[in-house]
Amino acid sequence: MSNDNVILKAEDLDGYLTDEDQKDLQGLQMLYTEAMMHFDPVNKDAIVQKFDEMGHRMQEICAKHPNIKVYSFETEEGSHAEASRVIAKLRDIKTDHSEFLYYSQRAYEMLFRLAYTDVHSDKKNHIIVKTPVTSPVQNYAVHKIPDIDDKIENSVMCVMLRGALLPSMIMSKEIEEYSSSDYVTPFALFKINRDDSRHENDMQYILNLKKSYFNLEELDGKNLIFADPMNATGGSLVTVVKYLLAQGIKPKSIQFFNVISALKGSLRVTRALENCTCYTLWMDPVLNGSAYIMPGLGDAGDRLNGTDTHDSPRNIIQLIADYGSNIAGLYRSQLRKIEQTVLGTM
């Protein structure tokens, strides 16, 4: 570790997995290898059979791990079609940028619901809304929402740039909407990447402190929320949290929200970090040799934000500017918090 970089290695992550975890992962690898035999030429019936088998097996494995919450395993059957449709659109190679943004937002609204509002509670808040109807008098409407202030108003959004930026803003917006005091989460921004010249078994995760923006005092005793579209290996999250723990930070809880997670990534994270819960809309069975999720959906960061040129990668402010006026207007409170964090202004 240099003064500016914190590095975590793949072998450190694997040390958290139990023998039973390794056996479960190997079993899924065998099933997926069998499924790939039917990809070319495509045998739809055989593919469906193998994916059903893998789905049931992952559900059995996750049942042993209460800190892994998979949307389709946790919700009633009527909700599964919605999750399937959203994931199918995000996976589809034909889904363009604007559609990818739309379905990403839907995915994180569903994940928020799973974590915070699907649990039955008799406590309710009321939203009183002034409507545009003024005759015969100014009209108002009343709407009940769950009272979840105690769950959300001690939260900090921890952003593992760059694909995680917009999902984090979506989660923060949901918190603001459900808060009785319009609570806008503080943001902590961590510049972390993995060395993609390496393979899954010797991967390195590099946290660049010089290009990160956070206030340690804002993180201590808080519910730390991470929203990353893809959790392949869990390495980025473990790197960031282990660094914070080494600085004396004691989170109240750690919550990790993913659109798609590989089983291996979820197992590693929940084994490595105390009081950490992984919420994922969809679980995929395996990683390839380069540590990409299969079947996966490609590079979620590029599909959300577009690609950077090698010579002039965008900084956080440029990335926000590229979102455009529609997103800037929708998430104006969140953008103001991020700008304060990066620029150090109040």
Side-chain angles (χ1 to χ4, degrees):
M1 182 179 76
S2 72
N3 290 334
D4 292 333
N5 291 334
V6 177
I7 299 175
L8 182 72
K9 298 179 179 179
E11 56 262 34
D12 300 323
L13 283 172
D14 279 337
Y16 295 111
L17 297 175
T18 67
D19 291 342
E20 184 179 14
D21 294 337
Q22 297 283 16
K23 184 178 179 181
D24 287 337
L25 292 167
Q26 289 168 8
L28 281 169
Q29 184 66 61
M30 290 176 60
L31 287 173
Y32 197 80
T33 300
E34 292 171 7
M36 286 192 293
M37 295 171 62
H38 304 290
F39 288 176
D40 187 16
V42 173
N43 183 334
K44 291 184 179 179
D45 290 340
I47 292 171
V48 168
Q49 180 183 346
K50 285 299 176 185
F51 270 81
D52 280 346
E53 192 174 346
M54 286 186 286
H56 290 307
R57 184 70 190 110
M58 285 188 288
Q59 188 167 7
E60 293 170 357
I61 294 168
C62 290
K64 300 183 291 186
H65 300 273
N67 283 6
I68 299 176
K69 307 289 187 184
V70 181
Y71 187 89
S72 55
F73 300 165
E74 299 283 334
T75 59
E76 73 282 355
E77 192 169 347
S79 300
H80 299 178
E82 182 185 11
S84 291
R85 189 61 189 152
V86 168
I87 292 293
K89 292 297 291 187
L90 287 168
R91 287 197 202 274
D92 195 334
I93 197 171
K94 298 190 298 292
T95 298
D96 64 19
H97 176 65
S98 59
E99 275 193 305
F100 198 86
L101 288 176
Y102 169 73
Y103 285 104
S104 294
Q105 181 164 328
R106 281 186 59 184
Y108 273 98
E109 289 169 352
M110 293 163 69
L111 285 168
F112 183 89
R113 206 162 64 232
L114 173 66
Y116 295 109
T117 68
D118 280 356
V119 179
H120 177 72
S121 173
D122 293 329
K123 294 173 64 180
K124 300 292 181 185
N125 271 336
H126 295 86
I127 301 175
I128 301 176
V129 182
K130 185 178 181 179
T131 81
V133 178
T134 58
S135 178
V137 295
Q138 174 63 59
N139 275 243
Y140 293 84
V142 177
H143 297 276
K144 285 183 180 179
I145 61 171
D147 182 354
I148 57 173
D149 285 351
D150 59 330
K151 296 181 181 179
I152 61 177
E153 292 195 348
N154 191 40
S155 300
V156 178
M157 290 305 308
C158 299
V159 187
M160 298 187 293
L161 299 176
R162 63 184 211 126
L165 178 59
L166 188 55
S168 299
M169 289 161 57
I170 295 168
M171 286 294 293
S172 179
K173 179 72 170 180
E174 288 295 297
I175 288 171
E176 182 185 9
E177 293 294 319
Y178 274 90
S179 165
S180 63
S181 63
D182 297 325
Y183 176 72
V184 180
T185 61
F187 280 79
L189 307 167
F190 299 96
K191 176 65 175 175
I192 186 162
N193 62 282
R194 64 188 203 180
D195 183 352
D196 281 336
S197 66
R198 294 174 176 268
H199 295 90
E200 198 269 330
N201 60 357
D202 66 353
M203 187 65 68
Q204 289 188 350
Y205 305 86
I206 305 164
L207 171 60
N208 186 326
L209 297 174
K210 190 175 181 180
K211 294 185 178 180
S212 298
Y213 305 90
F214 56 89
N215 181 345
L216 284 173
E217 292 180 358
E218 282 191 336
L219 302 174
D220 197 30
K222 300 298 179 64
N223 298 311
L224 305 185
I225 300 176
F226 295 80
D228 198 334
M230 309 292 284
N231 173 21
T233 66
S236 294
L237 178 70
V238 174
T239 304
V240 170
V241 174
K242 289 294 186 181
Y243 165 76
L244 294 176
L245 295 175
Q247 303 310 302
I249 300 304
K250 297 179 180 178
K252 183 177 180 182
S253 70
I254 301 162
Q255 294 161 297
F256 195 23
F257 292 88
N258 315 117
V259 177
I260 293 178
S261 177
L263 176 61
K264 189 172 190 178
S266 291
L267 288 172
R268 278 171 159 175
V269 163
T270 54
R271 293 289 193 201
L273 305 174
E274 290 185 15
N275 202 18
C276 176
T277 304
C278 286
Y279 297 92
T280 186
L281 195 61
W282 202 267
M283 181 162 282
D284 274 1
V286 297
L287 302 172
N288 64 18
S290 298
Y292 286 99
I293 300 174
M294 294 196 298
L297 53 73
D299 190 318
D302 285 350
R303 297 185 74 181
L304 280 168
N305 302 322
T307 56
D308 282 337
T309 62
H310 179 74
D311 295 331
S312 56
R314 290 165 291 177
N315 62 30
I316 184 71
I317 300 300
Q318 290 171 317
L319 191 57
I320 288 172
D322 282 353
Y323 285 155
S325 58
N326 289 340
I327 287 182
L330 183 60
Y331 298 107
R332 58 186 177 275
S333 299
Q334 286 67 39
L335 292 176
R336 192 174 299 117
K337 285 284 189 179
I338 292 169
E339 287 171 352
Q340 290 172 358
T341 302
V342 174
L343 302 176
T345 59
M346 297 302 292

